[in-house]
Amino acid sequence: MGTEVDAFLGQLARHLRPEVKKLAGLLLQRLNGEFPELWENADIEVLTLEETAQHVTALLDLLEARPRASVPEAPPAALDIARLYARRGIPVSRLLRAYRLGHLSLLEQLQSEAPRLTDDWHMINLATVRLVAIGFDYVDRSSEEVVAAYQEERDRLLQRRLALTDRASKRIGTTLDISRTAEELTEVCTEDFADLVTVDLLDSALDETGTGPPEALTQRRVAQRSVLDDCPESPLRVGGTHTYPDGSEPVRALTTGRSVLHHIAGPEMPPWVAPSESHGRVLRDLGLHSVLLVPLHARGEILGLVQFVRHRTSASFDDDDLLLAQEIVSRAAVSIDNARRYTHERSTALALQRTLLPRNTVRHAAVETAARYLPAGSRAGVGGDWYDVIPLSGARVALVVGDVVGHGLHAAATMGRLRTAVRAFADIDLMPDELLTHLDDVVIRMQREESADEGETSATCLYAVYDPVSRRCSLASAGHVPPTVVTPSKISEALPEVPIGPPLGLGGLPFETAEFELPEDSLLVLHTDGLIAGLTRDVDQGLATLRDVLTSAPDSLEEICDRLLGALLPGRPADDVALLVARTRALDPGHVATMDLPSDPAAVSGARRFASDVLATWGLEDLSFTTELVVSELVTNAIRYGKSPIQLRLILQSTLTCEVSDASSTAPHLRRARIYDEGGRGLLLVAQCAERWGTRHGREGKVIWAEQALPADSASPAEVT
């Protein structure tokens, strides 16, 4: 009887062979309502019809070849459908349910055709039992292969997504530049994830002042990339600004912070996708079908929106793709926010740095100067390098260069405090080693006042004083590289007589002042270590290059600065650089008059006559009265309270300076004289007659000085020097 049943099933298979397409169509009608995903687009529908026909044919082949044939493998189209389900993220349970319903429907069709071949119901019942057994064997075998294909595709997708995530973690955020970070995001995600990626940042997020209204949703396109040339999908170009229509999906994503997966099923494009009809035609021609909208969210703030678009492949974005995009964008958002905060802090620190540095080239009769400041081009940010040129009494000038350890706003603010302290100490005419000692105390006090998380404050500083009268330069260093000196005849070697003291902030260690004479037209080149040290060059190589440049230095100090920077820093510096170049001048001996005085009150009248005669020689008779008064008071004060030797010196530079020196270290001070006091008004008169006055101390006494402005019709400083 079994042979008869097999023969009957073979006859049934041959009878239905011409009706394969019809049977496949009937099966699809049965599945139409329960599995709408099979008809999402024409490609899926065609593949589904082909798969169903192959299943019908395979089952008929099996029936016709019984009992010799084994259960065949699943047809190729079935495996393709399984892979497509995997790519779309459709659960495999949906696929298996479609198999069960499809094969049940096919068995019902075969059973309904059996009575047309025989009226033997016993045969029909036996054939039905055998048909059910054969059919479910085929379903079990096909399901196993389909599930394996589905899982293999899912594993491949998982590996690809893990690889994409790994690439994103390695390639996004390699710099602290906002635009470059956004570009890295678009580059990674257009390799095998999306066909177009755009990155928009809110103007309020880019507003460095922080004054942008938070409700404003104006966005700036900072990056975009397409798999097609010239990015035809986007009417906007990088740098352009735009807003989305109220109530649109992008606006909801920005206001709620929730990502959106949007499928475009029909020919109509939403206005936020295609703002114009012509652009809509472009997108329809490209076949755009799905969009991911993922907000850039970092540290509790919405920074902007990233769009992922697909049109080149038929596979639309699914929920897994949305999760993957969110993970990548969240990492990119942190990097963009870091870059944004770094840019803001760098701009603030740089503005502070430039505000604290001298704004214009300092004009001084003792030296001609030129300077450069270059902020670091690395992630470290703006540092605390500074330079300064400070006029001192007696026609002298102080040249300063320093470097605060660290970078950012803290370093820039510390630099400002130290520069102010140096100017304050210079104003009381401290010697270089004494000035650095007081500056060291300032740094130690700052260390005590600051919190531990700000790091330990430390700095280096070089302080030099040049006197155009004696042409002597005295300097001291607190951990700073000595200057390079260029005389009119040759470049000096490293100055062994310049001892380098400890950096500021250590405390308890002494600083020493070195002195040497400089010919007129000598160059003093002061700089921070960022000029000569680099990642691929040590300090000795940098100093050798610096000396090579100075060997053939031009006359222009500005050109010297440019040549030094060009030779030593061809690219952006890794550390801040401060450079100060000074050319020394010597004061004309005819503009200095000196008189030694005995410690005798009778010498005061001679000092007044001497001053009057000198002013007549210089053509400054208009200053005789006030100058005689100043000289009289200063000389009297030195004779009464000071020690021999006493000397009067007049210096004609951009101002007229009267100096009286003596061997006493006791400093005079201004005090209020009472009605019946016989003294105490001398320095008050000096302060009223002079523009500036003060005291400076030396190794062998002190100097009291007073400066007066020259009459408007007298020689200019340039003519005097």
Side-chain angles (χ1 to χ4, degrees):
M1 193 64 183
T3 304
E4 293 178 3
V5 172
D6 289 337
F8 178 74
L9 290 177
Q11 182 184 2
L12 180 61
R14 288 188 294 274
H15 172 73
L16 294 175
R17 182 79 63 182
E19 304 294 329
V20 170
K21 290 186 177 179
K22 180 181 177 181
L23 289 173
L26 293 173
L27 294 178
L28 290 178
Q29 288 179 8
R30 174 76 179 270
L31 300 176
N32 187 20
E34 193 163 349
F35 299 95
E37 64 267 15
L38 299 177
W39 288 267
E40 288 182 349
N41 57 51
D43 292 340
I44 296 178
E45 186 175 355
V46 170
L47 185 58
T48 303
L49 180 60
E50 180 183 355
E51 180 211 17
T52 306
Q54 288 180 3
H55 278 304
V56 173
T57 301
L59 186 57
L60 294 179
D61 290 342
L62 181 60
L63 295 178
E64 192 173 355
R66 291 287 298 173
R68 302 177 306 276
S70 59
V71 178
E73 296 179 351
L79 303 181
D80 292 340
I81 285 287
R83 297 185 184 100
L84 185 58
Y85 265 56
R87 289 194 293 271
R88 299 266 171 131
I90 303 173
V92 71
S93 59
R94 296 280 293 169
L95 186 62
L96 295 178
R97 177 166 173 75
Y99 264 69
R100 289 193 298 271
L101 290 179
H103 285 85
L104 180 60
S105 300
L106 178 58
L107 293 177
E108 291 175 351
Q109 291 293 330
L110 292 176
Q111 186 180 19
S112 66
E113 289 292 329
R116 299 189 183 191
L117 299 180
T118 182
D119 56 2
D120 185 353
W121 287 102
H122 181 64
M123 176 63 71
I124 292 175
N125 289 336
L126 292 176
T128 300
V129 173
R130 180 68 61 83
L131 186 60
V132 170
I134 293 172
F136 278 98
D137 283 345
Y138 177 77
V139 169
D140 290 343
R141 173 66 182 273
S142 299
S143 297
E144 289 177 0
E145 296 178 8
V146 165
V147 169
Y150 180 95
Q151 192 59 48
E152 181 182 352
E153 184 68 13
R154 290 293 293 174
D155 291 343
R156 189 183 67 82
L157 291 174
L158 179 60
Q159 290 298 325
R160 191 184 70 177
R161 288 169 178 173
L162 289 175
L164 177 60
T165 304
D166 182 62
R167 291 201 307 271
S169 64
K170 292 178 180 178
R171 293 169 51 185
I172 298 175
T174 60
T175 69
L176 283 172
D177 181 85
I178 296 175
S179 297
R180 182 56 196 149
T181 302
E183 289 171 1
E184 290 168 345
L185 172 61
T186 63
E187 290 169 359
V188 169
C189 292
T190 51
E191 290 180 355
D192 57 2
F193 181 72
D195 300 323
L196 168 70
V197 181
T198 66
V199 181
D200 297 328
L201 293 184
L202 295 170
D203 267 357
S204 58
L206 291 171
D207 183 9
E208 294 184 357
T209 64
T211 59
E215 67 276 6
L217 295 180
T218 301
Q219 300 182 72
R220 185 175 302 277
R221 180 66 49 84
V222 294
Q224 64 182 15
R225 188 177 182 86
S226 170
V227 295
L228 304 176
D229 294 336
D230 299 327
C231 202
E233 307 97 322
S234 174
L236 195 66
R237 291 295 173 254
V238 174
T241 58
H242 67 103
T243 55
Y244 288 109
D246 292 339
S248 62
E249 296 283 7
V251 171
R252 280 195 289 271
L254 286 170
T255 53
T256 64
R258 297 176 180 173
S259 302
V260 175
L261 169 56
H262 185 82
H263 294 292
I264 302 172
E268 292 297 325
M269 295 286 174
W272 58 270
V273 174
S276 66
E277 180 60 32
S278 60
H279 185 58
R281 286 194 297 270
V282 172
L283 297 182
R284 282 192 294 272
D285 293 341
L286 291 173
L288 187 147
H289 54 75
S290 60
V291 180
L292 295 178
L293 302 173
V294 183
L296 279 160
H297 190 277
R299 298 180 176 95
E301 183 180 359
I302 300 295
L303 306 180
L305 188 69
V306 182
Q307 288 192 56
F308 302 87
V309 175
R310 277 186 184 172
H311 57 73
R312 187 174 55 172
T313 59
S314 60
S316 299
F317 289 120
D318 57 28
D319 292 337
D320 286 345
D321 291 325
L322 182 60
L323 292 175
L324 177 61
Q326 287 174 327
E327 181 178 355
I328 294 174
V329 170
S330 66
R331 297 188 182 192
V334 173
S335 296
I336 288 175
D337 190 50
N338 289 340
R340 184 176 68 103
R341 292 168 180 263
Y342 165 77
T343 301
H344 185 196
E345 180 175 333
R346 175 182 169 82
S347 300
T348 304
L350 188 57
L352 176 62
Q353 183 90 322
R354 295 195 184 280
T355 301
L356 295 173
L357 292 173
R359 297 189 179 185
N360 302 308
T361 301
V362 179
R363 298 181 61 84
H364 197 280
V367 292
E368 175 190 2
T369 61
R372 295 288 188 274
Y373 170 73
L374 287 157
S378 66
R379 289 190 178 191
V382 177
D385 293 18
W386 89 92
Y387 65 89
D388 211 345
V389 180
I390 308 172
L392 301 176
S393 63
R396 299 168 306 131
V397 64
L399 306 173
V400 190
V401 66
D403 183 0
V404 175
V405 175
H407 296 84
L409 279 173
H410 180 258
T414 302
M415 177 274 288
R417 296 172 68 180
L418 294 185
R419 178 174 180 261
T420 302
V422 169
R423 279 188 160 260
F425 295 144
D427 193 52
I428 57 177
D429 271 320
L430 293 177
M431 295 188 66
D433 57 335
E434 294 177 356
L435 184 143
L436 292 182
T437 300
H438 286 282
L439 194 62
D440 188 44
D441 292 338
V442 170
V443 174
I444 293 173
R445 186 164 58 251
M446 291 168 63
Q447 291 174 349
R448 294 171 181 167
E449 295 171 353
E450 292 170 353
S451 60
D453 57 355
E454 291 178 330
E456 185 173 346
T457 300
S458 181
T460 65
C461 183
L462 179 72
Y463 184 82
V465 176
Y466 175 69
D467 186 349
V469 177
S470 63
R471 292 185 289 105
R472 293 194 65 79
C473 179
S474 58
L475 60 87
S477 170
H480 205 91
V481 59
T484 299
V485 179
V486 183
T487 65
S489 57
K490 64 177 182 178
I491 298 179
S492 72
E493 298 297 329
L495 302 173
E497 68 272 19
V498 180
I500 299 178
L504 300 172
L506 294 182
L509 299 174
F511 302 98
E512 297 182 43
T513 296
E515 290 192 10
F516 49 90
E517 187 173 323
L518 288 175
E520 188 176 6
D521 289 330
S522 295
L523 288 179
L524 274 170
V525 181
L526 291 73
H527 54 83
T528 54
D529 57 2
L531 180 69
I532 56 175
L535 297 177
T536 59
R537 181 185 60 214
D538 60 25
V539 174
D540 292 337
Q541 290 176 325
L543 286 173
T545 303
L546 183 144
R547 293 191 180 105
D548 290 342
V549 173
L550 294 177
T551 300
S552 57
D555 292 335
S556 170
L557 297 186
E558 298 291 337
E559 189 174 346
I560 291 176
C561 290
D562 292 339
R563 287 192 183 183
L564 288 173
L565 295 179
L568 292 163
L569 300 171
R572 297 181 68 183
D575 193 7
D576 284 41
V577 173
L579 171 65
L580 176 61
V581 180
R583 176 176 283 120
T584 63
R585 295 171 177 168
L587 196 62
D588 187 342
H591 292 159
V592 180
T594 304
M595 181 181 186
D596 293 325
L597 299 170
S599 183
D600 184 351
V604 175
S605 60
R608 286 199 301 267
R609 287 192 300 273
F610 173 78
S612 178
D613 294 341
V614 170
L615 293 186
T617 303
W618 290 345
L620 299 176
E621 291 88 346
D622 293 343
L623 296 179
S624 292
F625 177 77
T626 55
T627 302
E628 288 184 30
L629 179 60
V630 168
V631 167
S632 176
E633 295 300 333
L634 294 183
V635 171
T636 300
N637 190 80
I639 292 173
R640 181 175 296 179
Y641 303 107
K643 297 179 181 179
S644 297
I646 301 172
Q647 186 182 75
L648 167 65
R649 186 169 72 163
L650 300 178
I651 302 173
L652 176 59
Q653 193 203 29
S654 55
T655 59
L656 175 63
T657 303
C658 301
E659 295 182 347
V660 176
S661 62
D662 67 85
S664 172
S665 59
T666 303
H669 62 276
L670 201 63
R671 66 180 179 88
R672 178 185 176 187
R674 300 186 183 276
I675 296 176
Y676 299 105
D677 287 350
E678 296 182 0
R681 298 179 177 84
L683 289 181
L684 179 62
L685 291 175
V686 171
Q688 294 296 317
C689 294
E691 276 197 342
R692 295 196 312 148
W693 76 279
T695 304
R696 68 174 182 268
H697 292 269
R699 302 296 186 200
E700 299 176 353
K702 66 177 181 296
V703 176
I704 307 176
W705 55 269
E707 289 183 357
Q708 300 176 72
L710 300 179
D713 57 351
S714 64
S716 67
E719 295 170 333
V720 170
T721 57

